[in-house]
Amino acid sequence: MDQPLGGGATAVARAHSNIALVKYWGKRDAALNTPAVGSISVTLAALYTDTRVTFRPDLSGDEFWLDGSRTDATRVSRVLDLVRRRAATDRYAVVSSTNNFPTGAGLASSASGFAALAVAAAGASGLTLADRELSILARHGSGSAARSIFGGFAEMHAGVAADGSDSYAEQLLEPADWPLSVAVAITERGEKSINSTIGMVESAATSPYYQAWQDSAADDLAEMRAAIAARDFARLGELSEYNCLKLHALMLSTRPALIYWNAATVAAMHAVRGLRADGVPAYFTIDAGPQVKVLCLPADSAAVRGALALVPGVHEVRMSALGPGAHRLE
């Protein structure tokens, strides 16, 4: 082992957060981290993670630094173990990640983080991996990270294979193929109280709606694909809201209930509906957290940003175009 790596082999990568329009919640196989249902997302230019990976011969274990603080490396090592096996090395790595947005707050920092890790680790170990391989590698750290390998619109396939080989994401459209804007209303900067992995397990075990959530996923995915292909913004937006609220109904029916919203979250939802009543086409979506993301056309960005900024409890509104896929920074 160790032959492919020189001393201190390093690579740096950037990956962008993604926001699911048709969401995944629940796992088909926890060990392989394969999702129970497929999903479709947009990648955001304004939110990203930069990750540096250095394989070193002097380490006795992996080190993980997040936003300047050392933290548990268990999930990072899960991905790095796959890289080590593929690259035929037993060297451990120092991993340093920084987010330009709040971490663990419902803004998909794990998606951008593990996508950046996959690209940087592959580069530092000397591997040349196709996008599909990188997507599968990122999935082992975070299910949504498989989508952040790609820019623009991406679809994650749940897959059926026992080994997870058909559980990966692929790009539907490049960012320039259908330019849209996304407003991100940040209503809390701290980490959410219940992380998504734990929440998914509890929903699958206790919610009477979990099976219905799985059974209806294929129809939502097919309708969203059609909306994207037709560039039908109203259809895309309406389905995004419907799928979002259906997910949160599942969360609310979990025992104990998963309540990720706060007062500003609800107020922002009403503000978006008010915009539509005034003739501004805008649609919200919310992941497992309190932050509200609003889809709009670029020409309406200023109006949407202004309306969200007036909502009591909204700390900040970030506007984003659709962003690129994960990539090396060197």
Side-chain angles (χ1 to χ4, degrees):
M1 301 181 79
D2 260 355
Q3 285 80 7
L5 301 182
T10 298
V12 184
R14 173 173 293 177
H16 294 256
S17 170
N18 73 76
I19 301 303
L21 308 180
V22 175
K23 303 184 184 300
Y24 111 83
W25 191 254
K27 298 186 185 297
R28 176 169 63 88
D29 185 312
L32 293 173
N33 210 34
T34 52
V37 298
S39 54
I40 293 176
S41 64
V42 289
T43 301
L44 303 184
L47 308 183
Y48 59 82
T49 302
D50 289 344
T51 297
R52 176 183 298 273
V53 175
T54 302
F55 286 98
R56 288 175 22 189
D58 60 326
L59 298 175
S60 58
D62 294 318
E63 293 183 12
F64 178 41
W65 297 78
L66 178 60
D67 293 329
S69 298
R70 187 167 180 176
T71 189
D72 180 70
T74 301
R75 291 173 69 191
V76 165
S77 292
R78 184 188 307 160
V79 174
L80 292 176
D81 285 344
L82 296 171
V83 172
R84 280 188 277 264
R85 189 178 311 149
R86 184 82 174 262
T89 182
D90 56 8
R91 290 186 181 176
Y92 293 106
V94 176
V95 177
S96 177
S97 284
T98 56
N99 297 316
N100 80 330
F101 60 98
T103 300
L107 292 169
S109 58
S110 63
S112 53
F114 280 101
L117 174 65
V119 173
S125 65
L127 295 175
T128 300
L129 301 181
D131 285 345
R132 180 176 297 187
E133 295 174 296
L134 289 168
S135 182
I136 292 172
L137 180 61
R139 186 205 76 218
H140 283 271
S142 166
S144 56
R147 301 188 306 254
S148 275
I149 294 297
F150 303 94
F153 292 79
E155 177 172 0
M156 177 67 183
H157 302 290
V160 297
D163 63 355
S165 58
D166 59 350
S167 183
Y168 57 84
E170 60 182 346
Q171 190 174 58
L172 297 178
L173 290 180
E174 293 278 359
D177 291 338
W178 191 15
L180 296 179
S181 293
V182 180
V184 180
I186 298 174
T187 67
E188 285 184 19
R189 291 195 173 94
E191 292 190 19
K192 57 194 179 188
S193 58
I194 302 173
N195 73 37
S196 296
T197 299
I198 294 172
M200 289 179 194
V201 172
E202 292 180 351
S203 292
T206 67
S207 173
Y209 303 151
Y210 185 71
Q211 189 60 51
W213 164 258
Q214 290 183 288
D215 292 344
S216 63
D219 288 343
D220 288 359
L221 289 165
E223 186 176 350
M224 184 60 76
R225 280 188 224 105
I228 292 169
R231 310 296 198 272
D232 187 336
F233 182 67
R235 189 177 178 189
L236 176 143
E238 188 278 330
L239 180 58
S240 296
E241 281 196 9
Y242 167 70
N243 186 266
C244 160
L245 294 173
K246 185 165 59 172
L247 171 60
H248 283 274
L250 169 62
M251 293 173 173
L252 291 170
S253 67
T254 301
R255 299 180 66 179
L258 303 172
I259 305 175
Y260 287 107
W261 298 346
N262 57 34
T265 307
V266 177
M269 293 160 61
H270 285 294
V272 172
R273 289 188 164 187
L275 282 167
R276 285 210 300 276
D278 291 337
V280 178
Y283 300 87
F284 65 77
T285 186
I286 307 162
D287 293 315
Q291 326 298 2
V292 181
K293 301 88 178 181
V294 182
L295 299 152
C296 65
L297 301 172
D300 297 317
S301 294
V304 171
R305 182 173 194 164
L308 291 172
L310 293 175
V311 173
V314 170
H315 300 296
E316 177 186 0
V317 180
R318 294 196 189 186
M319 297 303 302
S320 181
L322 302 193
H327 55 280
R328 293 274 299 273
L329 288 181
E330 291 88 345

